[in-house]
Amino acid sequence: MASADLKDELLCSICLCIFKDPVMLRCGHNFCRVCIDCVLDTQDKSGVYTCPECREEFQERPALMKNINLHNVAERFLFTQPDPVEISGIFCTYCVDSPVPAIKSCLHCEASLCDKHLRVHSKSSEHVLSDPSTSLENRKCSVHKEVLKYYCTKDSACICVSCSLAGEHHGHRVEMLDEASEKKKGKLKNILQKMTAKSEETKKRVQSLQERWRKGEEKASGEAERVTVLFTDIRRRLDDLEKRALNEISKQEKEESILLSALMKKLEIKKDELSRKMRHIEELCNMTDPLTVLQEPDTGGDLCDPEEEGGDEDINRRLHDVDDLDVAVISDKLHTLCDIITDIRRGIYMEGPADILLDVNTAANNVFISDDLKTATWTQNKQNRPGRAERFQNNQVMSNRRFTSGRHYWDVEGSGSVGWRVGMCYPSIDRRGDQSYIGDNNKSWSLVRYSNQYLVRHDSKDIRLPDEISSNRVRICLDYEAGQLSFYELCDPIRHLHTVTATFTEPLHAALSVYRKQMGYYGDTSYQYSSLKINS
């Protein structure tokens, strides 16, 4: 109703349309510039100018002042609520001076009428009015040139009175157009209802396919990441094996080189000594004076016979100890390839990311669980959860899913600089006391982060990992049958941290432990809290 009132205020009284380039006379009335210019042009001959609205006279042709505010309001109104009459493009048949949009059409007169001409149009029943139309002949009988008023149900055709009384539809069952139209609308509504249901069904199927597409993309992305992790680990382990094998070869080569060098030095000394004694003997042999030869002291002793010289046995023994490279030791190191290949096969047949949800019934009251059951956060505002035997007393929560076979993996992302623990536990783990923390008993295993360091803990025994961490994201891989639980740091490239080997005797649940850290002292105490989110 408000929109209609506003529209009335925005109509030019000359053309009865929304103002176009509105201008204002001194009397305050507004008109379209083209409309008022046409009126003033006709008044030029008489020399008397009057306002078409209030009839105020002007001695001279009045100046037209552009009404910017009214122009903006009219433009905004046309933009938000376009006039359907103007959109139709059908104009009044009788307004010959300027085109004026029609608001009705008379079937009898076969003419379109604007608001002004509609007021003086005949009200006779034979003058049937309809919405503006350019094809008025379609609403009349092509044979009798009468208005179509009835509907022949037998021939499914719109007919006039003459068609029903004396024409080809004589004797047929007919209905009023409104009645037949309502019946058809009823049928169309039934069809529309069925089509709507079918459209909804199709929409759901499209959504289902889109969901499958999304899951397919996620699975492909997960598989690509898994393969990247696998080959990164393979390359790392092969590089490590290569280094160990080459170091073994280098070590054996160095040991052999040192021993051979010592023997060669000893033999060189012996060779020089033999050469000296050989020259002395040759000098004695070349002497002609027997007395000199006989009087020469026998300083060489048994050296006159080199074959009887002692010390060769020791040299031969040490030379015998110098063997070729110990290929057996090198091959033993290379046998590690078998273990790598076994792990490769396990990695290839690893199942996709496990769908892990946290079990609120096990969550400690100082652990807040997100609505999607994926995130655990330490909270100072303790949750008022019902007491249960399976609920942890402090800081921890475990998953509702358990694993009794197969190979699985999932990722966990931590936030904040405060430490945390992630790992797995048996359902029989204690829920009270210090021994209930994952890793502090023989029923759980955990990867612990603290002060930018990692350690792996089981039964309160720690394996400290040497490198500092650069990421808050880790991956946990489980091979239940093989009894292996592996931890990876999801950095670039992905880094293997540690693999725990055990014989699992119970089902395993994923478990998270979140901490808080005090930041202030002496009455100015504040805390930082850790948060862990499962990405699976």
Side-chain angles (χ1 to χ4, degrees), residues 382-413:
K382 290 196 173 184
Q383 310 297 298
N384 188 21
R385 301 189 181 109
R388 294 177 179 270
E390 63 268 29
R391 189 177 306 286
F392 284 104
Q393 184 179 16
N394 287 306
N395 297 52
Q396 297 192 137
V397 62
M398 55 191 261
S399 68
N400 55 14
R401 180 176 178 179
R402 65 180 192 170
F403 301 93
T404 57
S405 63
R407 304 179 183 94
H408 313 271
Y409 76 91
W410 59 95
D411 300 337
V412 180
E413 181 176 1

Side-chain angles (χ1 to χ4, degrees), residues 135-172:
S135 55
L136 298 176
E137 65 276 4
N138 293 335
R139 304 184 68 90
K140 285 188 175 184
C141 176
S142 60
V143 178
H144 305 102
K145 304 303 179 182
E146 296 179 6
V147 178
L148 300 174
K149 292 185 176 181
Y150 301 102
Y151 179 75
C152 177
T153 58
K154 179 179 180 181
D155 298 327
S156 301
C158 296
I159 61 175
C160 67
V161 176
S162 299
C163 288
S164 176
L165 296 178
E168 59 178 314
H169 299 281
H170 176 67
H172 295 177

Side-chain angles (χ1 to χ4, degrees), residues 329-340:
V329 175
I330 299 172
S331 298
D332 182 63
K333 293 186 179 299
L334 293 178
H335 278 312
T336 310
L337 277 172
C338 297
D339 298 332
I340 294 176

Side-chain angles (χ1 to χ4, degrees), residues 183-193:
K183 288 183 179 179
K184 186 170 183 178
K185 287 180 181 179
K187 292 180 181 179
L188 291 175
K189 287 179 181 178
N190 290 334
I191 295 173
L192 179 62
Q193 187 176 3

Side-chain angles (χ1 to χ4, degrees), residues 223-400:
E223 284 297 300
E225 188 175 357
R226 181 177 69 86
V227 170
T228 300
V229 172
L230 177 64
F231 277 90
T232 300
D233 188 42
I234 291 171
R235 283 189 287 269
R236 180 192 61 77
R237 296 177 69 175
L238 288 176
D239 289 344
D240 182 62
L241 178 60
E242 180 185 15
K243 288 178 182 177
R244 285 190 282 126
L246 292 177
N247 286 339
E248 180 63 30
I249 294 172
S250 178
K251 184 185 78 170
Q252 291 191 31
E253 180 188 18
K254 186 176 182 180
E255 291 174 351
E256 181 181 5
S257 176
I258 293 173
L259 184 56
L260 289 175
S261 178
L263 290 175
M264 288 171 62
K265 187 175 182 181
K266 190 171 184 178
L267 288 172
E268 287 289 338
I269 295 173
K270 184 174 182 179
K271 185 183 77 167
D272 292 341
E273 181 67 20
L274 287 173
S275 296
R276 184 184 62 77
K277 290 182 178 181
M278 287 170 61
R279 286 195 300 273
H280 181 66
I281 292 171
E282 286 177 354
E283 290 176 358
L284 290 177
C285 291
N286 291 329
M287 287 184 180
T288 58
D289 184 7
L291 182 63
T292 303
V293 173
L294 293 173
Q295 288 179 344
E296 178 71 24
D298 192 7
T299 55
D302 294 334
L303 287 177
C304 293
D305 187 0
E307 294 297 330
E308 297 178 0
E309 172 64 19
D312 285 349
E313 181 179 350
D314 178 62
I315 293 176
N316 291 334
R317 179 181 58 78
R318 296 181 65 181
L319 185 60
H320 182 269
D321 291 339
V322 180
D323 201 355
D324 292 333
L325 293 177
D326 192 344
V327 179
V329 175
I330 299 172
S331 298
D332 182 63
K333 293 186 179 299
L334 293 178
H335 278 312
T336 310
L337 277 172
C338 297
D339 298 332
I340 294 176
I341 292 171
T342 301
D343 289 342
I344 290 173
R345 295 184 63 185
R346 292 195 185 107
I348 290 174
Y349 295 108
M350 181 78 70
E351 296 182 12
D355 187 16
I356 304 292
L357 297 177
L358 300 176
D359 186 357
V360 179
N361 291 331
T362 67
N365 281 327
N366 61 350
V367 177
F368 175 77
I369 305 299
S370 61
D371 292 338
D372 61 358
L373 304 180
K374 292 285 188 179
T375 304
T377 307
W378 197 97
T379 177
Q380 194 169 6
N381 300 320
K382 290 196 173 184
Q383 310 297 298
N384 188 21
R385 301 189 181 109
R388 294 177 179 270
E390 63 268 29
R391 189 177 306 286
F392 284 104
Q393 184 179 16
N394 287 306
N395 297 52
Q396 297 192 137
V397 62
M398 55 191 261
S399 68
N400 55 14

